[in-house]
Amino acid sequence: MKKRIMLVALGLLGSVCLTTSNVSAQTKGLHRLTSHWVNQHAKTQNNINRYYRLNQNTKSGPFKGSKVILPKGTIVSGSIINDSASKTHNAFVNGQTGLSYALKKRVGMKKPWTQLVFWQTYMLSRYPRVKKPAFMPALGEGVFYTGGVKSFTNMAKRYKSSSSALRLTSDGYVEFYQHRNQPLITTYYETFAYNQKPISYAKINHTLVKGSKTYLYYSHNLKGVNDQKVRKSGAYKYRLTIHNLHTPYRYTIHYDTAYGSMYTIGGNHFYSMPLKSENSGE
């Protein structure tokens, strides 16, 4: 067996539960956490997002499906994972990228509303690590679900989620997904579910971060969110304000624990999931 180092797109690997020894010991119900605790736990569980740039045009796609060419300069999120079972230093890019609907449509993906899978040889010179894009949060997928603490609690209780979703992509788009028949979150309530195309999207042309607020600027109104027209025309015509309230929560039910962090976006309540759900394995 050859040693493999895999670049795996964070948050887009489907429903993966982390096994912990203390989940079942936690008090059931809703509990406030500190941002410091969440950040430290993310480091322990290796949940910190990392970003890599494609330094050449890169062919990607499913094993038995049609592949597409991702353009040079595309940014993907991921992490390098060592495979201890192998003995050499060969490596592969393996995972599902959090790229925009617009990019996947532009490169000719047959179903651009679905996930795009990587599986190819990995070389550091081809995929150098880069600084986190200013518009992306440090934790989570960059997906925000409509509703505040109550919506998060209902989701964590395994009620069917009826939230719509705002999504930031690693290649620089903001997208809005309207809730329809199927929830926009996977069965284990921890990752975004690709089951439809966004009702609106815009290329992020500028980002301004001031304290707990992130301001996104783009050229046209984004349907589904309460953005502001701040210029008469141009690339910075509209602005969307994402306010991190720094109020993370944990909800434990039976042997599962979900995590949520509260935001306002355009003045409306949203929540994100900074950490993956945990399961005691029982």
Side-chain angles (χ1 to χ4, degrees):
M1 291 288 294
K2 294 182 177 181
K3 184 174 182 180
R4 296 177 179 178
I5 303 174
M6 295 176 285
L7 180 64
V8 184
L10 293 176
L12 298 173
L13 297 178
S15 302
V16 179
C17 285
L18 301 176
T19 300
T20 63
S21 59
N22 65 342
V23 172
S24 58
Q26 294 174 359
T27 305
K28 293 181 180 179
L30 184 71
H31 300 276
R32 262 293 304 275
L33 301 172
T34 65
S35 296
H36 176 74
W37 186 93
V38 172
N39 291 332
Q40 290 301 113
H41 195 64
K43 292 178 182 178
T44 301
Q45 300 295 342
N46 196 27
N47 281 173
I48 303 296
N49 289 346
R50 296 174 177 87
Y51 295 87
Y52 298 82
R53 182 182 64 243
L54 306 185
N55 269 3
Q56 63 182 42
N57 292 344
T58 304
K59 182 180 288 188
S60 299
F63 287 112
K64 296 182 180 180
S66 59
K67 296 182 181 293
V68 296
I69 304 296
L70 297 179
K72 178 181 177 180
T74 301
I75 305 296
V76 298
S77 61
S79 62
I80 296 177
I81 301 176
N82 294 308
D83 183 359
S84 59
S86 46
K87 298 180 180 179
T88 65
H89 295 286
N90 288 342
F92 297 86
V93 176
N94 173 32
Q96 298 162 336
T97 56
L99 298 175
S100 66
Y101 171 84
L103 176 61
K104 289 183 287 187
K105 183 178 179 181
R106 187 167 71 246
V107 298
M109 190 171 171
K110 289 183 177 180
K111 297 180 179 180
W113 58 87
T114 59
Q115 297 172 341
L116 178 63
V117 180
F118 264 18
W119 185 265
Q120 60 217 9
T121 301
Y122 172 76
M123 293 178 60
L124 179 61
S125 60
R126 294 180 181 177
Y127 313 109
R129 186 175 170 182
V130 295
K131 185 178 179 180
K132 176 182 72 68
F135 51 82
M136 293 296 294
L139 301 177
E141 297 182 276
V143 180
F144 306 87
Y145 300 92
T146 54
V149 177
K150 183 177 180 180
S151 292
F152 165 70
T153 301
N154 287 339
M155 178 278 298
K157 286 180 177 179
R158 300 302 188 257
Y159 294 162
K160 187 175 181 180
S161 174
S162 60
S163 292
S164 298
L166 181 100
R167 178 173 176 257
L168 305 177
T169 71
S170 61
D171 59 316
Y173 278 80
V174 53
E175 304 172 333
F176 191 79
Y177 293 79
Q178 185 70 51
H179 169 72
R180 293 178 182 169
N181 294 328
Q182 298 180 5
L184 288 166
I185 191 169
T186 52
T187 303
Y188 284 96
Y189 302 96
E190 61 177 351
T191 56
F192 181 71
Y194 291 80
N195 54 37
Q196 65 188 60
K197 65 181 182 179
I199 65 167
S200 60
Y201 56 88
K203 178 67 176 176
I204 300 170
N205 294 318
H206 180 64
T207 303
L208 177 64
V209 179
K210 285 189 175 182
S212 60
K213 293 183 178 180
T214 299
Y215 301 93
L216 308 180
Y217 293 84
Y218 41 85
S219 63
H220 59 271
N221 172 248
L222 190 67
K223 182 180 179 181
V225 301
N226 185 28
D227 53 15
Q228 293 180 301
K229 184 178 179 180
V230 293
R231 288 179 172 81
K232 292 183 178 180
S233 61
Y236 301 171
K237 185 177 180 180
Y238 283 87
R239 180 179 69 198
L240 181 65
T241 303
I242 300 176
H243 184 193
N244 187 348
L245 302 179
H246 294 294
T247 52
Y249 286 85
R250 175 177 65 203
Y251 193 94
T252 301
I253 181 172
H254 302 304
Y255 298 109
D256 298 303
T257 295
Y259 297 93
S261 189
M262 302 302 127
Y263 288 76
T264 61
I265 299 179
N268 296 317
H269 290 287
F270 283 74
Y271 70 91
S272 72
M273 286 174 286
L275 303 171
K276 290 186 178 182
S277 299
E278 293 180 323
N279 185 285
S280 65
E282 301 184 28

